Amino acid sequence: MAADLQEKTDRYHDLLAEALEEVTVSAPEDTPMGEAALDCLEMAASYLDDGEHFRANDDLVNALAAFSYGHAWLDAGARVGLFDVPREGHLFTV
């Protein structure tokens, strides 16, 4: 069980880190939609940082949760059109 949790935590970390590199804001930053996109990016990056902190302290459950929440911010933003994201591959559910 612990090995499964470690593998899943590492996989979700990598998924979030890669997704953050691939996402671009699609709305002008000085508009409400652009500001919302930047907020989503900030939340996703913060959850990545939090998850890395939890993982470094051997708290894999909270690390996995943080990585999952961070990716959810990006995925939701992509679904409502805040971001341009790759349409092929495993990063987003668009």
Side-chain angles (χ1 to χ4, degrees):
M1 170 85 171
D4 293 337
L5 180 58
Q6 180 70 52
E7 183 277 328
K8 192 169 192 175
T9 301
D10 292 343
R11 187 166 28 103
Y12 276 63
H13 168 272
D14 295 348
L15 181 69
L16 175 55
E18 187 178 352
L20 275 166
E21 290 178 11
E22 293 294 324
V23 71
T24 58
V25 174
S26 61
E29 292 182 7
D30 60 345
T31 66
M33 293 296 281
E35 290 174 11
L38 293 175
D39 287 344
C40 288
L41 280 175
E42 182 180 354
M43 291 299 294
S46 293
Y47 274 116
L48 178 64
D49 290 343
D50 290 348
E52 290 172 344
H53 170 80
F54 289 131
R55 188 170 65 171
N57 288 292
D58 294 323
D59 185 352
L60 296 181
V61 170
N62 281 318
L64 178 58
F67 298 144
S68 298
Y69 290 146
H71 194 270
W73 278 95
L74 296 180
D75 224 9
R79 297 276 297 187
V80 299
L82 298 178
F83 303 125
D84 288 323
V85 298
R87 300 248 177 226
E88 303 294 321
H90 65 283
L91 294 178
F92 299 95
T93 59
V94 292

